[in-house]
Amino acid sequence: MRGLEMKGVIFVELIGWVEETFSPAIADAMITRADIASGGGYSSVGNYSHHEALALLVTLADLVERPVADLAQSYGCWLAARFAVLYPEMFEGYADAHSFLRDIDGHIHREVQKLYPGALTPRVLATTDGPNMTLAYSSHRPLADVAFGLITGTIAHFDEDFEVERDASIAGSHEARFVIRPGSLTTGG
Ligand code: HEM
């Protein structure tokens, strides 16, 4: 169903992350135990219900005894590094994390939509206030923890020193606000 489907690349990478971070056996167990319609044979050009991604993460949480939110965030962080390998052209011309993150809505996810017609990317709006940047995430998908990881992973990719704090006053996973501040190495604090 349109609106639920998410691009296969996100699923292929999720399995790859579990294999690398945990083990191929855990990845197999996750796919077998999660009650998913596709059976786990993902293709990066296919489309699958985003509920499958959540079902896989919930099953993994059970298998490795870690909170789902933690795992979703770790996956997002790993995924940012993979995006740099899979889509190097999207990183071209960006010298730092701020300019890249500022352009997710206006450029990066637009390129994604050209590459994958029908992609329904989330809104990721940036505002700056002096040295701080705020990113507001909103989506019909409850993937704010993945967004958190993608942001920290992007900062790591650019090898920069920023701290990312999630605004605790916003509940739920469809919306989130992240404040990115210069890290302690930069501020000397
Ligand atoms: C070169 C960098 C990036 C690429 C290639 C990329 C690509 C994609 C793709 C292919 C999807 C799936 C869309 C769909 O299935 O309809 C997606 C969704 C998503 N993107 Fe990006 N993305 C990038 C950077 C980022 C960054 C830095 C963030 C940080 C906030 C982000 C946040 C998300 C989230 C959270 C989703 C999941 C779908 C949702 O929440 O609605 N992306 N992205």
Side-chain angles (χ1 to χ4, degrees):
M1 196 208 302
R2 194 172 150 81
L4 282 183
E5 293 203 322
M6 194 158 69
K7 296 295 156 191
V9 61
I10 306 292
F11 295 85
V12 171
E13 294 304 319
L14 176 62
I15 307 298
W17 167 71
V18 176
E19 287 176 344
E20 195 180 293
T21 309
F22 299 98
S23 71
I26 295 276
D28 282 347
M30 172 182 78
I31 291 165
T32 313
R33 284 201 206 175
D35 189 16
I36 47 174
S38 75
Y42 298 115
S43 143
S44 45
V45 292
N47 293 289
Y48 310 91
S49 164
H50 73 244
H51 289 306
E52 290 208 4
L54 298 168
L56 290 169
L57 285 168
V58 168
T59 308
L60 179 67
D62 208 37
L63 285 167
V64 302
E65 298 181 341
R66 272 177 57 187
V68 176
D70 252 33
L71 293 167
Q73 199 178 330
S74 302
Y75 169 53
C77 190
W78 185 89
L79 186 60
R82 287 289 297 156
F83 279 163
V85 173
L86 293 170
Y87 312 102
E89 66 285 354
M90 292 195 198
F91 289 79
E92 269 166 29
Y94 292 101
D96 54 63
H98 269 209
S99 50
F100 184 85
L101 292 169
R102 192 180 295 126
D103 261 14
I104 297 172
D105 253 29
H107 180 68
I108 309 297
H109 277 163
R110 283 197 194 174
E111 291 300 309
V112 168
Q113 282 158 15
K114 283 188 214 159
L115 203 60
Y116 302 107
L120 290 168
T121 51
R123 297 198 75 191
V124 184
L125 294 182
T127 47
T128 36
D129 175 16
N132 300 338
M133 172 182 265
T134 299
L135 286 180
Y137 163 88
S138 67
S139 175
H140 66 294
R141 301 186 178 116
L143 295 175
D145 294 305
V146 176
F148 195 168
L150 278 162
I151 294 165
T152 54
T154 300
I155 293 166
H157 167 77
F158 285 97
D159 203 15
E160 288 181 279
D161 177 37
F162 288 107
E163 279 163 10
V164 186
E165 195 191 333
R166 182 167 174 179
D167 183 339
S169 70
I170 301 173
S173 291
H174 290 274
E175 260 178 78
R177 195 155 56 212
F178 304 96
V179 182
I180 304 167
R181 297 188 179 85
S184 53
L185 295 174
T186 311
T187 55

